[in-house]
Coordinates of all heavy atoms in Angstrom, one line a residue:
M1 N 5.6 20.5 28.0 CA 5.4 19.6 26.9 C 6.1 18.3 27.1 O 7.3 18.3 27.5 CB 5.9 20.3 25.6 CG 5.6 19.4 24.4 SD 5.5 20.7 23.1 CE 6.4 20.1 21.8
S2 N 5.5 17.2 26.9 CA 6.1 15.8 27.2 C 7.0 15.5 26.0 O 6.9 15.9 24.9 CB 5.0 14.8 27.3 OG 4.2 14.6 26.1
K3 N 8.0 14.6 26.4 CA 9.0 14.2 25.4 C 8.3 13.2 24.5 O 7.6 12.3 24.9 CB 10.2 13.5 26.1 CG 11.3 13.2 25.2 CD 12.4 12.5 26.1 CE 13.5 12.0 25.1 NZ 14.6 11.4 25.9
L4 N 8.6 13.2 23.2 CA 8.1 12.3 22.2 C 8.5 10.9 22.5 O 9.7 10.6 22.5 CB 8.5 12.7 20.8 CG 8.1 11.8 19.6 CD1 6.5 11.8 19.5 CD2 8.8 12.2 18.4
K5 N 7.6 10.0 22.6 CA 7.9 8.6 22.8 C 8.2 7.9 21.4 O 7.4 8.1 20.5 CB 6.8 7.9 23.5 CG 7.1 6.4 23.9 CD 6.0 5.8 24.7 CE 6.3 4.4 25.1 NZ 5.2 3.7 25.8
D6 N 9.2 7.2 21.4 CA 9.6 6.5 20.0 C 8.7 5.2 20.0 O 8.9 4.3 20.8 CB 11.1 6.2 20.0 CG 11.5 5.6 18.7 OD1 10.6 5.5 17.8 OD2 12.7 5.3 18.6
L7 N 7.8 5.2 19.0 CA 7.0 4.0 18.8 C 7.5 3.1 17.7 O 6.8 2.1 17.4 CB 5.5 4.4 18.4 CG 4.8 5.4 19.5 CD1 3.5 5.8 19.0 CD2 4.8 4.8 20.9
T8 N 8.6 3.4 17.1 CA 9.1 2.7 16.0 C 9.2 1.1 16.4 O 9.7 0.8 17.4 CB 10.6 3.1 15.6 OG1 10.5 4.5 15.4 CG2 11.1 2.4 14.4
N9 N 8.7 0.3 15.4 CA 8.6 -1.2 15.6 C 7.5 -1.7 16.6 O 7.6 -2.9 16.9 CB 10.0 -1.7 15.7 CG 10.8 -1.5 14.4 OD1 10.3 -1.6 13.3 ND2 12.0 -1.2 14.6
Q10 N 6.8 -0.8 17.3 CA 5.9 -1.3 18.3 C 4.6 -1.7 17.5 O 4.2 -1.1 16.5 CB 5.6 -0.2 19.3 CG 6.7 0.0 20.2 CD 6.3 0.9 21.4 OE1 5.2 0.9 21.9 NE2 7.3 1.8 21.9
K11 N 3.9 -2.7 18.0 CA 2.7 -3.2 17.4 C 1.5 -2.7 18.2 O 1.5 -2.6 19.4 CB 2.7 -4.7 17.6 CG 3.7 -5.5 16.7 CD 3.3 -6.1 15.5 CE 2.0 -6.8 15.3 NZ 1.5 -6.9 14.0
F12 N 0.5 -2.3 17.4 CA -0.8 -1.9 17.9 C -1.9 -2.6 17.2 O -2.3 -2.1 16.2 CB -0.9 -0.3 17.7 CG 0.2 0.4 18.4 CD1 1.4 0.8 17.7 CD2 0.1 0.8 19.8 CE1 2.3 1.5 18.4 CE2 1.1 1.5 20.4 CZ 2.2 1.9 19.7
G13 N -2.2 -3.8 17.7 CA -3.2 -4.6 17.0 C -2.6 -5.2 15.7 O -1.5 -5.7 15.8
Y14 N -3.2 -4.8 14.5 CA -2.6 -5.2 13.2 C -1.5 -4.3 12.7 O -0.8 -4.5 11.8 CB -3.7 -5.2 12.2 CG -4.7 -6.4 12.3 CD1 -5.3 -6.8 13.5 CD2 -5.1 -7.0 11.1 CE1 -6.2 -7.8 13.6 CE2 -6.1 -8.0 11.2 CZ -6.5 -8.5 12.4 OH -7.5 -9.5 12.4
L15 N -1.4 -3.2 13.4 CA -0.5 -2.1 12.9 C 0.9 -2.1 13.6 O 1.0 -2.4 14.7 CB -1.1 -0.7 13.2 CG -2.4 -0.4 12.5 CD1 -3.0 0.9 13.1 CD2 -2.3 -0.3 11.0
T16 N 1.9 -1.8 12.8 CA 3.3 -1.7 13.3 C 3.8 -0.3 12.9 O 3.7 0.1 11.8 CB 4.3 -2.7 12.7 OG1 3.8 -4.0 13.0 CG2 5.7 -2.5 13.3
A17 N 4.2 0.5 14.0 CA 4.7 1.9 13.7 C 6.0 1.8 13.0 O 6.9 1.1 13.5 CB 4.8 2.6 15.1
I18 N 6.1 2.4 11.8 CA 7.4 2.3 11.0 C 8.3 3.5 11.3 O 9.5 3.4 11.5 CB 7.0 2.3 9.5 CG1 6.1 1.1 9.2 CG2 8.2 2.2 8.7 CD1 6.6 -0.2 9.5
K19 N 7.7 4.7 11.2 CA 8.4 6.0 11.4 C 7.5 7.1 11.8 O 6.4 7.1 11.3 CB 9.4 6.3 10.3 CG 8.7 6.6 9.0 CD 9.7 6.9 7.9 CE 9.0 7.3 6.5 NZ 10.0 7.5 5.5
K20 N 8.0 8.2 12.4 CA 7.3 9.3 12.6 C 6.9 10.0 11.3 O 7.8 10.2 10.4 CB 8.0 10.2 13.6 CG 7.2 11.5 14.1 CD 8.1 12.4 14.9 CE 7.4 13.7 15.2 NZ 7.0 14.4 14.0
A21 N 5.7 10.6 11.3 CA 5.3 11.3 10.1 C 5.3 12.8 10.6 O 5.4 13.1 11.7 CB 3.8 10.9 9.8
P22 N 5.1 13.7 9.6 CA 5.1 15.2 10.0 C 3.8 15.4 10.9 O 2.8 14.8 10.7 CB 4.9 15.8 8.6 CG 5.5 14.9 7.6 CD 5.1 13.5 8.2
S23 N 4.1 16.3 11.8 CA 3.0 16.6 12.7 C 2.0 17.5 12.0 O 2.3 18.3 11.1 CB 3.5 17.4 14.0 OG 4.4 16.6 14.7
R24 N 0.7 17.4 12.4 CA -0.3 18.3 11.9 C -1.2 18.8 13.0 O -1.5 18.0 13.9 CB -1.2 17.5 11.0 CG -0.5 17.0 9.7 CD -1.4 16.4 8.7 NE -2.2 15.3 9.1 CZ -1.9 14.0 9.0 NH1 -0.8 13.7 8.5 NH2 -2.7 13.1 9.4
S25 N -1.5 20.1 13.0 CA -2.3 20.7 14.0 C -1.8 20.5 15.4 O -2.6 20.2 16.4 CB -3.7 20.3 13.8 OG -4.2 20.6 12.6
G26 N -0.5 20.4 15.6 CA 0.1 20.2 17.0 C 0.0 18.7 17.4 O 0.2 18.4 18.5
K27 N -0.4 17.8 16.6 CA -0.5 16.4 16.9 C 0.5 15.6 16.2 O 0.8 15.8 15.0 CB -1.9 15.9 16.6 CG -3.0 16.6 17.4 CD -4.3 16.1 17.2 CE -5.5 16.8 17.8 NZ -5.6 17.2 19.1
T28 N 1.1 14.6 16.8 CA 2.0 13.7 16.2 C 1.4 12.5 15.5 O 0.5 11.9 16.1 CB 3.0 13.2 17.4 OG1 3.6 14.3 18.0 CG2 4.1 12.4 16.7
Y29 N 1.9 12.1 14.4 CA 1.4 11.0 13.6 C 2.5 10.1 13.3 O 3.7 10.4 13.3 CB 0.9 11.5 12.2 CG -0.5 12.2 12.4 CD1 -0.5 13.5 12.9 CD2 -1.6 11.6 12.1 CE1 -1.8 14.2 13.0 CE2 -2.9 12.2 12.2 CZ -3.0 13.5 12.7 OH -4.2 14.1 12.8
W30 N 2.2 8.8 13.1 CA 3.1 7.8 12.8 C 2.7 7.1 11.5 O 1.5 6.9 11.3 CB 3.2 6.7 13.9 CG 4.0 7.3 15.0 CD1 3.5 8.1 16.1 CD2 5.4 7.2 15.3 NE1 4.5 8.4 16.9 CE2 5.7 7.8 16.5 CE3 6.4 6.5 14.6 CZ2 7.0 7.9 17.0 CZ3 7.7 6.6 15.2 CH2 7.9 7.3 16.3
I31 N 3.7 6.8 10.6 CA 3.4 6.0 9.5 C 3.4 4.5 9.9 O 4.4 4.0 10.5 CB 4.4 6.1 8.4 CG1 4.3 7.6 7.9 CG2 4.2 5.1 7.2 CD1 5.4 8.0 6.8
C32 N 2.3 3.8 9.8 CA 2.1 2.4 10.3 C 1.9 1.5 9.1 O 1.2 1.9 8.1 CB 1.0 2.4 11.3 SG 1.2 3.4 12.7
R33 N 2.4 0.3 9.3 CA 2.1 -0.7 8.2 C 1.1 -1.8 8.9 O 1.4 -2.4 9.9 CB 3.4 -1.4 7.8 CG 3.1 -2.5 6.7 CD 4.4 -3.0 6.1 NE 5.2 -2.0 5.3 CZ 6.4 -1.7 5.7 NH1 7.0 -2.2 6.7 NH2 7.0 -0.7 5.0
C34 N 0.1 -2.0 8.2 CA -0.9 -3.1 8.6 C -0.4 -4.4 8.2 O 0.4 -4.5 7.3 CB -2.3 -2.8 8.1 SG -3.6 -3.7 8.7
E35 N -0.9 -5.4 8.9 CA -0.5 -6.8 8.5 C -0.9 -7.2 7.1 O -0.4 -8.0 6.4 CB -1.1 -7.8 9.5 CG -0.5 -7.7 10.9 CD -1.0 -8.7 11.9 OE1 -1.9 -9.5 11.5 OE2 -0.7 -8.7 13.0
C36 N -2.0 -6.4 6.5 CA -2.4 -6.7 5.2 C -1.5 -6.0 4.1 O -1.6 -6.2 3.0 CB -3.9 -6.3 5.0 SG -4.0 -4.5 5.0
G37 N -0.5 -5.1 4.6 CA 0.4 -4.5 3.7 C 0.2 -3.0 3.5 O 1.0 -2.3 3.0
V38 N -1.0 -2.5 3.9 CA -1.3 -1.1 3.7 C -0.6 -0.2 4.6 O -0.5 -0.6 5.8 CB -2.9 -0.9 3.8 CG1 -3.3 0.5 3.8 CG2 -3.6 -1.6 2.7
E39 N 0.0 0.9 4.2 CA 0.6 1.9 5.1 C -0.4 3.1 5.2 O -1.0 3.5 4.3 CB 1.9 2.4 4.5 CG 3.0 1.3 4.6 CD 4.4 1.7 4.3 OE1 4.6 3.0 4.0 OE2 5.3 0.9 4.3
K40 N -0.5 3.6 6.5 CA -1.4 4.6 6.8 C -0.8 5.5 7.9 O -0.1 5.0 8.8 CB -2.7 4.0 7.3 CG -3.9 4.9 7.3 CD -5.1 4.0 7.5 CE -6.3 5.1 7.4 NZ -7.5 4.3 7.5
E41 N -1.0 6.9 7.9 CA -0.6 7.7 8.9 C -1.7 7.7 10.0 O -2.9 7.9 9.8 CB -0.4 9.1 8.4 CG 0.8 9.3 7.5 CD 1.1 10.7 7.2 OE1 0.6 11.7 7.8 OE2 2.0 10.9 6.3
I42 N -1.3 7.5 11.2 CA -2.2 7.4 12.4 C -1.7 8.2 13.5 O -0.5 8.3 13.8 CB -2.3 5.9 13.0 CG1 -2.5 4.9 11.8 CG2 -3.3 5.8 14.0 CD1 -3.8 4.9 11.2
Q43 N -2.6 9.0 14.1 CA -2.3 9.9 15.2 C -1.8 9.0 16.4 O -2.4 8.0 16.7 CB -3.5 10.7 15.6 CG -3.3 11.7 16.7 CD -4.5 12.5 17.0 OE1 -5.4 12.9 16.0 NE2 -4.7 12.9 18.2
T44 N -0.8 9.5 17.1 CA -0.1 8.8 18.3 C -1.2 8.4 19.3 O -1.2 7.2 19.7 CB 0.9 9.7 18.9 OG1 1.9 10.0 17.9 CG2 1.6 8.9 20.1
S45 N -2.1 9.3 19.7 CA -3.0 8.9 20.7 C -4.0 7.8 20.3 O -4.4 7.0 21.1 CB -3.7 10.2 21.2 OG -4.5 10.7 20.2
H46 N -4.3 7.8 19.0 CA -5.2 6.7 18.6 C -4.5 5.4 18.6 O -5.2 4.4 18.7 CB -5.7 7.1 17.1 CG -6.5 8.3 17.1 ND1 -6.9 9.0 15.9 CD2 -7.3 9.0 18.1 CE1 -7.7 9.9 16.2 NE2 -7.8 10.0 17.5
L47 N -3.2 5.3 18.4 CA -2.5 4.1 18.5 C -2.4 3.7 20.0 O -2.7 2.5 20.4 CB -1.1 4.2 18.0 CG -1.0 4.4 16.5 CD1 0.5 4.7 16.1 CD2 -1.4 3.1 15.7
T48 N -2.0 4.6 20.8 CA -1.7 4.2 22.2 C -3.0 4.0 23.1 O -2.8 3.2 24.0 CB -0.8 5.3 22.9 OG1 -1.5 6.5 22.8 CG2 0.5 5.4 22.2
N49 N -4.1 4.5 22.7 CA -5.3 4.2 23.5 C -6.2 3.1 22.9 O -7.2 2.8 23.4 CB -6.1 5.5 23.7 CG -6.8 6.0 22.4 OD1 -6.9 5.3 21.4 ND2 -7.3 7.3 22.5
G50 N -5.7 2.5 21.7 CA -6.4 1.4 21.1 C -7.5 1.8 20.2 O -8.3 0.9 19.8
A51 N -7.8 3.0 19.9 CA -8.8 3.5 19.1 C -8.7 3.0 17.7 O -9.7 2.7 17.1 CB -9.0 5.0 19.1
I52 N -7.5 2.9 17.2 CA -7.3 2.4 15.8 C -6.4 1.2 15.9 O -5.2 1.4 16.4 CB -6.7 3.4 14.9 CG1 -7.8 4.6 14.8 CG2 -6.4 2.9 13.5 CD1 -7.4 5.8 13.9
T53 N -6.7 0.1 15.4 CA -5.8 -1.1 15.5 C -5.6 -1.8 14.1 O -4.9 -2.8 14.1 CB -6.4 -2.2 16.4 OG1 -7.7 -2.6 16.0 CG2 -6.5 -1.6 17.9
S54 N -6.1 -1.1 13.0 CA -5.9 -1.7 11.7 C -6.2 -0.5 10.7 O -6.6 0.5 11.0 CB -6.8 -2.9 11.4 OG -8.1 -2.4 11.1
C55 N -5.8 -0.9 9.4 CA -6.1 0.1 8.3 C -7.6 0.3 8.0 O -8.0 1.1 7.2 CB -5.2 -0.2 7.1 SG -5.8 -1.8 6.3
G56 N -8.3 -0.7 8.5 CA -9.7 -0.8 8.2 C -10.0 -2.2 7.7 O -11.2 -2.6 7.7
C57 N -9.0 -3.0 7.4 CA -9.2 -4.3 6.9 C -9.8 -5.2 8.1 O -10.5 -6.2 7.8 CB -7.9 -4.9 6.5 SG -6.7 -5.2 7.7
K58 N -9.5 -4.9 9.3 CA -10.1 -5.6 10.4 C -11.7 -5.5 10.4 O -12.3 -6.5 10.8 CB -9.5 -5.2 11.7 CG -9.8 -6.0 12.9 CD -9.1 -5.5 14.1 CE -9.4 -6.3 15.3 NZ -8.8 -5.8 16.6
K59 N -12.2 -4.3 10.1 CA -13.6 -4.1 10.1 C -14.2 -5.0 9.0 O -15.3 -5.6 9.2 CB -14.0 -2.6 9.8 CG -13.7 -1.7 10.9 CD -14.0 -0.3 10.5 CE -13.7 0.7 11.7 NZ -13.9 2.1 11.3
T60 N -13.6 -5.0 7.8 CA -14.1 -5.9 6.7 C -14.1 -7.3 7.2 O -15.0 -8.0 6.9 CB -13.2 -5.7 5.5 OG1 -13.2 -4.3 5.1 CG2 -13.7 -6.5 4.4
E61 N -12.9 -7.8 7.8 CA -12.8 -9.1 8.3 C -13.9 -9.5 9.3 O -14.5 -10.6 9.2 CB -11.4 -9.3 8.9 CG -11.2 -10.7 9.4 CD -9.7 -10.8 10.0 OE1 -8.7 -10.7 9.3 OE2 -9.7 -10.8 11.2
T62 N -14.2 -8.6 10.2 CA -15.2 -8.9 11.3 C -16.6 -8.8 10.7 O -17.4 -9.7 11.0 CB -15.1 -7.7 12.3 OG1 -13.8 -7.7 12.9 CG2 -16.1 -7.9 13.4
A63 N -16.8 -7.9 9.7 CA -18.2 -7.9 9.0 C -18.4 -9.2 8.2 O -19.4 -9.8 8.3 CB -18.2 -6.8 8.1
M64 N -17.3 -9.7 7.6 CA -17.5 -10.9 6.8 C -17.7 -12.1 7.8 O -18.5 -13.0 7.4 CB -16.2 -11.2 6.0 CG -16.1 -10.2 4.8 SD -14.6 -10.3 3.9 CE -14.5 -12.0 3.4
S65 N -17.1 -12.1 8.9 CA -17.3 -13.3 9.8 C -18.7 -13.2 10.4 O -19.3 -14.3 10.7 CB -16.2 -13.3 10.9 OG -16.4 -12.2 11.8
H66 N -19.2 -12.0 10.6 CA -20.6 -12.0 11.1 C -21.6 -12.4 10.0 O -22.6 -13.0 10.3 CB -21.0 -10.5 11.5 CG -20.4 -10.2 12.8 ND1 -19.2 -9.5 12.9 CD2 -20.9 -10.4 14.1 CE1 -19.0 -9.3 14.3 NE2 -19.9 -9.9 14.9
E67 N -21.3 -12.1 8.7 CA -22.2 -12.6 7.6 C -22.2 -14.1 7.6 O -23.2 -14.8 7.4 CB -21.8 -11.9 6.3 CG -22.2 -10.5 6.2 CD -23.7 -10.2 6.3 OE1 -24.5 -11.0 5.7 OE2 -24.0 -9.3 7.0
I68 N -21.0 -14.7 7.7 CA -20.9 -16.1 7.6 C -21.6 -16.8 8.8 O -22.3 -17.8 8.5 CB -19.4 -16.6 7.7 CG1 -18.6 -16.1 6.4 CG2 -19.2 -18.0 7.8 CD1 -17.1 -16.2 6.4
S69 N -21.6 -16.2 9.9 CA -22.3 -16.8 11.1 C -23.8 -16.7 11.0 O -24.5 -17.4 11.7 CB -21.9 -16.1 12.4 OG -22.3 -14.7 12.4
K70 N -24.4 -15.9 10.0 CA -25.9 -15.8 9.8 C -26.3 -17.0 8.9 O -27.5 -17.0 8.7 CB -26.1 -14.4 9.2 CG -26.0 -13.3 10.2 CD -26.2 -11.9 9.5 CE -26.0 -10.8 10.4 NZ -26.2 -9.5 9.8
I71 N -25.4 -17.8 8.3 CA -25.9 -18.8 7.5 C -26.2 -20.1 8.4 O -25.4 -20.5 9.2 CB -24.7 -19.2 6.6 CG1 -24.3 -18.0 5.6 CG2 -25.1 -20.4 5.7 CD1 -23.2 -18.2 4.8
C72 N -27.3 -20.6 8.1 CA -27.8 -21.8 8.9 C -26.9 -23.0 8.6 O -26.6 -23.3 7.4 CB -29.2 -22.1 8.5 SG -29.9 -23.6 9.3
A73 N -26.4 -23.6 9.6 CA -25.5 -24.8 9.5 C -26.3 -26.0 8.9 O -25.6 -26.9 8.3 CB -24.9 -25.2 10.8
I74 N -27.6 -26.0 9.0 CA -28.4 -27.2 8.5 C -28.8 -27.0 7.1 O -28.5 -27.9 6.2 CB -29.6 -27.4 9.5 CG1 -29.2 -27.7 10.9 CG2 -30.5 -28.5 8.9 CD1 -30.3 -27.6 11.9
C75 N -29.4 -25.9 6.8 CA -29.9 -25.8 5.4 C -29.0 -24.9 4.5 O -29.3 -24.9 3.3 CB -31.3 -25.2 5.5 SG -31.4 -23.4 6.0
G76 N -28.1 -24.1 5.1 CA -27.2 -23.4 4.2 C -27.7 -21.9 3.8 O -27.2 -21.3 3.0
K77 N -28.9 -21.6 4.4 CA -29.5 -20.3 4.0 C -29.3 -19.3 5.1 O -29.2 -19.6 6.3 CB -31.0 -20.5 3.7 CG -31.3 -21.3 2.5 CD -32.8 -21.4 2.3 CE -33.1 -22.3 1.1 NZ -34.5 -22.4 0.8

């Protein structure tokens, strides 16, 4: 079994690991704070491999920017 790596205060996209959360099903989780202020428990491997980089606010931000880009710069439709 590998030694637990301390991720405290490390950044993963919009998320900062705050402290270790209780393990579940043999997997380690971290309580992370997103730049938007939301705290969420994220599995260690999802943080370290880049699978999760925000609480979900990044998806909303990306979706909104795509909607904005669909507006015609000339007519506004």
